Amino acid sequence: MVPEREVIRRLVVLGGALSLLLVGLVGPAAAEPETPVSYPPGSTVTRADRLGFDTCTAPSLAALRAWRGTSPYTAVNIYFGGDNRGCRQPELTKAWVRDANASGWRILPTYFGHQPYCMFGTKEHRYGASTATSRGTADATDAVARAEALGLLPGSALYADVEHYDRGDAACRTAVRRYVSAWTKKLHAAGYLAGVYVHQNSGLRDLSDSYDSATYARPDAVWMARWDGSPSLTGWPTAPNAQWSAFQRAKQYEGDHHETWGGVTINIDSDVIRAPVASVAWRHSVTGSAALRARTGPSTTTSVVRTYEPGASLRVVCQATGQRVGTTTVWDRLATGAWVSDYFVSTPSSTGFSPGLPRCVYPGQVTTGSLNARTGPGVSYPTTGRPLSRGALASVMCQKSGSRVGTTSVWNKLRDGRWVSDYYVSNRSDTTWSAPVPRCR
């Protein structure tokens, strides 16, 4: 397969006329199917690898506390918006999200918006092929506003609920693809990842069939409903393992049943999650005896943007490696986008990364059929591990100059320590650094 960014010009027949398309000459890789995410400075992507449950009404914090130490689940969904959301949400507030996250729950945000007109069921609000794009854009716009109101930071994955529908209707299949594509592009423009909840025999099958299509933007993650009792994230009958292959899958493997843990009974569906979820700020405070300087990067050589007095409250988004200060090389990124040394912050560890706090990562989808990862930032370094498939989320932690590939000398260090050329990762630039990714030290 020839990578998209290596194609300078394409001749495409559209209605019998030849159209000339310029692909990837400058700027971001904005073309479908891999659209870039415009991450703002105070953002990160958080991923989960655990069992979870979903239920119609968000449980109380007391119920979550009862389940936290007794059940096998450590992730919970929230139906945070959408015209077709059926359940009232008396518990679901910004404080609930903050406290649930602080107690160790990962949160899977689910938006129950308009549905395809051929959906099985009685939901009132629906879209057709001619309205799907505008509806997907409108639902994503509303989802971002509701996510922000709940404290779900940019970098969070927001999942559109697409219920089971009749695949025998070709126009309806087109409508679903248009809706999901519009949902994805609007979320990416706002700094969020796009997920979708789908049935294995309708939505998943159609999105899998259009996985490489240049007509539709590809969602970052899929959450499949298949009530077969198996929590496997591979071997799915309607999507090959190479699709959504890098922390991009969740599965609802058991539906509509009651479970009791810690004396609390909840009606749930059971899920296994290996995918991006919500990012939520963590509350910590300044521990030093002097004012703490917040900087533009994870180093004391970068500019000071403000100071925090001893005891001041901080909203920590994620942690990354930077210049050593005291006993640690860990720096904390704040919701403002600024950086502070973790040595002066009340996180659990003063020597390394703290359990629970996410690493700072800014993923982009891989744009080539098979991308080799290397031990260092250059093609002279040996390859290591399995290549990344097209559409995989490359979990970029930092960037560094290396050997030139295509139009750029930028290389990305991944969460697992491997390196890939930025030329094959969809983000803000094909030629230079991509904000807000920090430089590797």
Side-chain angles (χ1 to χ4, degrees):
M1 176 182 291
V2 179
E4 278 192 13
R5 298 188 193 183
E6 293 178 358
V7 179
I8 302 302
R9 300 177 185 268
R10 291 182 179 179
L11 293 176
V12 180
V13 179
L14 296 174
L18 289 178
S19 297
L20 188 63
L21 301 183
L22 300 180
V23 180
L25 293 180
V26 294
E32 280 71 59
E34 302 95 5
T35 58
V37 182
S38 297
Y39 297 109
S43 65
T44 192
V45 171
T46 302
R47 64 187 194 184
D49 188 3
R50 58 186 67 193
L51 294 180
F53 72 90
D54 59 280
T55 187
C56 198
T57 298
S60 67
L61 290 171
L64 290 183
R65 284 192 293 270
W67 276 45
R68 182 65 180 88
T70 57
S71 80
Y73 306 112
T74 52
V76 59
N77 94 303
I78 53 171
Y79 284 103
F80 71 100
D83 287 341
N84 280 315
R85 181 176 64 170
C87 295
R88 295 179 61 251
Q89 301 291 344
E91 301 288 342
L92 191 54
T93 63
K94 189 172 185 178
W96 184 96
V97 168
R98 180 195 64 219
D99 292 346
N101 180 73
S103 64
W105 288 91
R106 290 289 190 251
I107 297 170
L108 192 64
T110 313
Y111 186 88
F112 205 160
H114 278 55
Q115 295 298 303
Y117 69 86
C118 65
M119 168 201 168
F120 298 119
T122 59
K123 293 299 182 183
E124 176 184 0
H125 303 286
R126 305 197 180 200
Y127 55 82
S130 63
T131 59
T133 297
S134 61
R135 191 68 253 169
T137 301
D139 280 0
T141 300
D142 182 59
V144 168
R146 291 176 180 271
E148 290 175 341
L150 288 173
L152 306 181
L153 300 171
S156 296
L158 308 181
Y159 288 77
D161 188 325
V162 179
E163 292 292 312
H164 194 24
Y165 57 88
D166 181 9
R167 290 193 70 247
D169 188 325
C172 195
R173 296 199 306 271
T174 297
V176 170
R177 287 170 173 151
R178 288 176 178 173
Y179 176 90
V180 173
S181 180
W183 166 267
T184 298
K185 289 195 283 188
K186 188 63 178 180
L187 290 187
H188 282 187
Y192 288 80
L193 291 184
V196 60
Y197 168 88
V198 285
H199 192 280
Q200 69 153 352
N201 289 325
S202 54
L204 182 64
R205 187 184 295 274
D206 286 331
L207 294 177
S208 174
D209 287 348
S210 62
Y211 189 84
D212 291 326
S213 171
T215 302
Y216 305 106
R218 183 193 302 121
D220 302 293
V222 290
W223 174 15
M224 177 188 74
R226 188 188 190 204
W227 296 353
D228 60 359
S230 170
S232 177
L233 293 174
T234 58
W236 292 358
T238 55
N241 292 340
Q243 296 180 345
W244 298 289
S245 60
F247 273 86
Q248 294 166 275
R249 291 187 173 203
K251 180 182 178 183
Q252 188 184 78
Y253 61 88
E254 184 178 0
D256 197 20
H257 64 285
H258 286 83
E259 291 193 23
T260 302
W261 300 97
V264 175
T265 300
I266 307 175
N267 182 267
I268 68 168
D269 302 321
S270 298
D271 306 283
V272 59
I273 303 165
R274 188 176 171 84
V277 291
S279 294
V280 182
W282 299 70
R283 295 284 184 176
H284 290 285
S285 59
V286 178
T287 60
S289 59
L292 176 61
R293 295 173 178 175
R295 299 178 177 273
T296 57
S299 167
T300 59
T301 62
T302 58
S303 301
V304 176
V305 293
R306 67 163 293 178
T307 59
Y308 293 90
E309 294 302 315
S313 178
L314 303 173
R315 296 179 66 219
V316 177
V317 172
C318 58
Q319 295 186 315
T321 300
Q323 178 187 356
R324 176 174 288 277
V325 175
T327 58
T328 187
T329 58
V330 173
W331 283 66
D332 300 329
R333 188 153 216 173
L334 306 182
T336 62
W339 297 85
V340 295
S341 169
D342 188 58
Y343 186 66
F344 301 107
V345 180
S346 66
T347 52
S349 176
S350 61
T351 57
F353 293 105
S354 293
L357 280 168
R359 303 287 182 89
C360 298
V361 290
Y362 307 93
Q365 291 188 24
V366 172
T367 64
T368 186
S370 181
L371 177 59
N372 284 323
R374 299 180 180 273
T375 59
V379 294
S380 63
Y381 289 90
T383 61
T384 180
R386 297 181 62 179
L388 284 76
S389 303
R390 185 176 187 186
L393 282 180
S395 294
V396 179
M397 295 183 67
C398 59
Q399 295 184 317
K400 188 174 184 177
S401 292
S403 62
R404 189 171 188 83
V405 177
T407 58
T408 186
S409 299
V410 174
W411 282 70
N412 299 319
K413 187 175 185 180
L414 305 182
R415 183 187 172 100
D416 61 10
R418 299 187 298 165
W419 295 82
V420 295
S421 169
D422 188 56
Y423 186 62
Y424 298 111
V425 178
S426 179
N427 53 32
R428 290 188 177 185
S429 178
D430 289 337
T431 58
T432 187
W433 314 104
S434 289
V437 183
R439 307 290 187 271
C440 302
R441 291 188 60 81

